[in-house]
């Protein structure tokens, strides 16, 4: 909830990147075996992060309240989000393999 996602370098036991968010991070999901992960936030946004560069490469909007959960489809084409606003949304993530 400190508005950060920390990506660790396990070999050196030190942070590799600290990815800043505008609001607290409530959940995350790896996008398959790729270098990307998604974070769900208190402000209803979903950020896609490149874990090798620490860069936010995409932001999805559409929810009005905090994201409760994220799940990636088995074919790695879609990201499903569920929010405290009572909605579920589906986002295409086929560009992030």
């Amino acid at each position: 909830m400190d508005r950060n996602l920390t990506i660790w370098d396990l070999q050196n036991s030190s942070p590799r990147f600290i990815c800043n968010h505008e609001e607290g991070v409530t959940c995350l999901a790896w996008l398959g075996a790729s270098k990307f992960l998604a974070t769900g936030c208190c402000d209803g946004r979903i950020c896609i992060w490149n874990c090798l560069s620490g860069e936010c490469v995409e932001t999805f909007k559409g929810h009005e309240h905090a994201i409760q959960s994220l799940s990636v489809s088995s074919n790695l084409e879609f990201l499903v989000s569920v929010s405290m606003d009572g909605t579920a949304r589906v986002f295409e993530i086929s560009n992030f393999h």
Side-chain angles (χ1 to χ4, degrees):
M1 296 304 293
D2 66 355
R3 300 180 183 186
N4 293 315
L5 164 71
T6 304
I7 299 172
W8 287 85
D9 180 335
L10 295 180
Q11 292 179 348
N12 297 315
S13 298
S14 63
R16 179 177 290 171
F17 300 109
I18 297 177
C19 307
N20 299 314
H21 294 74
E22 291 183 24
E23 295 290 334
V25 177
T26 57
C27 56
L28 64 84
W30 283 101
L31 305 187
S34 73
K35 62 183 176 183
F36 299 102
L37 67 82
T39 54
C41 300
C42 287
D43 60 4
R45 293 181 188 187
I46 299 162
C47 299
I48 307 294
W49 298 90
N50 179 327
C51 293
L52 299 179
S53 70
E55 177 185 7
C56 179
V57 296
E58 183 77 53
T59 300
F60 295 119
K61 299 177 184 176
H63 290 291
E64 296 179 13
H65 297 291
I67 306 296
Q68 288 180 294
S69 180
L70 297 170
S71 183
V72 179
S73 65
S74 61
N75 65 1
L76 306 176
E77 298 289 318
F78 302 100
L79 179 68
V80 178
S81 59
V82 177
S83 170
M84 294 289 290
D85 62 16
T87 65
R89 301 212 182 267
V90 179
F91 300 96
E92 187 174 346
I93 58 168
S94 58
N95 293 337
F96 306 108
H97 284 220

